[in-house]
Structure formats: C-alpha cells, structure tokens
C-alpha cells in the first residue's frame, strides 16, 4: 500500500520527497511482516518507480536482482520478470557495454517467453531490438528501424493499441534516431508521443521515456559508437 501510494504521489503530484518517504515506509514494513512474495513485489515497485527518481539508478540494481531471484524462487514470476526488465532498462541508461547488455536482454527475453510473461516480454522485445541495431547485428542498412529479429511488423501494429508497450517502442525508437541520425528534434517528439499515450494509463512509468532525454548526449552512454548524420531514417507513424 505504501509503495502504491508513493507511485501515485509521483504520477499525480510530482511529489518526489513524499514518495521517497513512502517508499522507505514500504521497505521498513517488510522487516516486521516478512513475506517473500510481498518483498519481491514491493522491492520491485519501490526501486523501479520511486527510488529511480530520487536516488542514483546504480543503487537500485542489486535490490532489483534480489527481487527477481526471490520472485522466481517463490513462484511470483510477475514481479520477478518486471524487476529484471527494469534492471535491464537501468543498465541501458547507465551505459553498460552493449555486448553484455545484448546477451542479457536476449537471454531474459527467452525466459519471459517460456514463462508466458507477455507484458514484460513486450518491453524486452523493444529493448532487445534497439540493442541489436546498436550492435550492428540487425538492420545494418537501416539502423533506425524498430522492426527486426525481436520486434515484428505485427508487434508494432499491436503496440499502438497498448500505451505501456507503445511507450517503450517510442522510447527506444527515439534512442535510435538520436544515435544514427541528426533527427534529435524528431526523437524528442517520438518520445513525447509515447509519453502522452502512456500518461493516461501508466503515469508512473516515465522512467522509460526519460532515457531518451539522457540519450541526447551520445558520447556519455556509448562513446564507442560514432554518431551518424547520413543514415537511412525510419520514423514511427
């Protein structure tokens, strides 16, 4: 309850201080009433949607892995897989080497398929496709394309009817536009479009959209990838 309240405080009132306090209450309460399932879910919620706004992202990596392990161990695969998706997203924002990121993202994507975790699978597909493009192992002739080995044309059509999924597609499309072309302004518009669709349903999920803003400085995240200003560009509709 405290974790959910904190998320609402951010989504509706931008009250980061109050939300952080509620996040602390939520985690403290777990010490008095230990439950593996509640711990996995609460840890995932607090570190994904509250502390991601108020504390360094790196400080949430270990707790998210703990939530993932605990969720899997006790059969709460929903919390486990959402925790690992947020762990992957944060590592992407923090500039983890692409080789490691790609291997992990594709491995966990396969696990999500095996566990029938369709919602997290959709988010992992969007990230996985962006990573393959950035690595040059997919869409080498059209690196701003959002379809390929992970995301199909059918996926894109379905995503447009699901704000949560569409926001992820828009975020990573904005990242590709930023790195492989000079269309930074259009990348920002793409991100805003995804955010506007998402805000009506999942206002707390702005972390994913925020990565596009951080990505305007390409040298910060991926210094080994050159910025290309004359590549083919695939814009989302």
């Amino acid at each position: 309850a405290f974790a959910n309240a904190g998320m609402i405080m951010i989504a509706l009132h931008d009250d980061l201080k109050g939300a952080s306090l509620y996040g602390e209450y939520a985690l403290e309460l777990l010490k008095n009433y230990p439950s593996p399932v509640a711990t996995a879910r609460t840890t995932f919620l607090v570190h994904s949607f509250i502390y991601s706004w108020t504390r360094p992202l790196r400080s949430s990596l270990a707790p998210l892995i703990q939530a993932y392990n605990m969720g899997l161990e006790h059969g709460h695969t929903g919390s486990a897989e959402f925790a690992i998706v947020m762990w992957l997203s944060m590592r992407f924002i923090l500039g983890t080497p692409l080789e490691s990121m790609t291997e992990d993202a594709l491995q966990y994507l396969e696990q999500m398929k095996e566990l029938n975790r369709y919602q997290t699978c959709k988010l992992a597909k969007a990230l996985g496709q962006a990573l393959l493009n950035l690595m040059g192992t997919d869409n080498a002739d059209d690196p701003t394309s959002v379809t390929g080995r992970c995301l199909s044309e059918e996926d894109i059509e379905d995503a447009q009817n699901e704000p949560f999924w569409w926001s992820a597609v828009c975020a990573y499309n904005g990242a590709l536009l930023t790195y492989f072309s000079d269309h930074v302004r259009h990348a920002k518009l793409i991100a805003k479009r995804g955010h506007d669709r998402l805000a009506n349903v999942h206002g707390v999920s702005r972390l994913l959209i925020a990565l596009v803003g951080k990505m305007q400085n390409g040298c910060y995240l991926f210094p080994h990838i050159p910025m290309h200003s004359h590549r083919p560009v695939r814009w989302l509709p």
Side-chain angles (χ1 to χ4, degrees), residues 176-196:
L176 295 175
L177 284 168
T178 298
Y179 281 106
F180 291 114
S181 72
D182 58 356
H183 296 278
V184 174
R185 179 176 176 274
H186 191 78
K188 292 179 179 180
L189 291 176
I190 286 288
K192 185 178 184 302
R193 183 181 306 168
H195 176 60
D196 289 345

Side-chain angles (χ1 to χ4, degrees), residues 23 59 73 75 159 211 232:
S59 67
E73 182 179 352
L211 72 85

Side-chain angles (χ1 to χ4, degrees), residues 7 39 48 63 98 101 125 130 136 142 153 162 174 182 196 212:
M7 292 160 59
T39 298
S48 296
L98 288 176
M101 275 293 313
K125 281 184 175 182
D142 186 7
E153 294 286 352
E162 299 185 34
D182 58 356
D196 289 345
V212 173

Side-chain angles (χ1 to χ4, degrees), residues 124-186:
K125 281 184 175 182
L127 172 58
Q129 189 59 58
L131 289 169
L132 290 174
N133 285 19
L134 288 167
M135 285 287 291
T137 56
D138 198 8
N139 294 319
D141 297 330
D142 186 7
T144 57
S145 173
V146 292
T147 59
R149 282 170 51 187
C150 288
L151 272 176
S152 66
E153 294 286 352
E154 183 179 355
D155 285 332
I156 295 299
E157 292 180 7
D158 292 341
Q160 293 183 57
N161 297 316
E162 299 185 34
F164 193 57
W165 190 5
W166 186 241
S167 72
V169 173
C170 287
Y172 293 119
N173 182 234
L176 295 175
L177 284 168
T178 298
Y179 281 106
F180 291 114
S181 72
D182 58 356
H183 296 278
V184 174
R185 179 176 176 274
H186 191 78

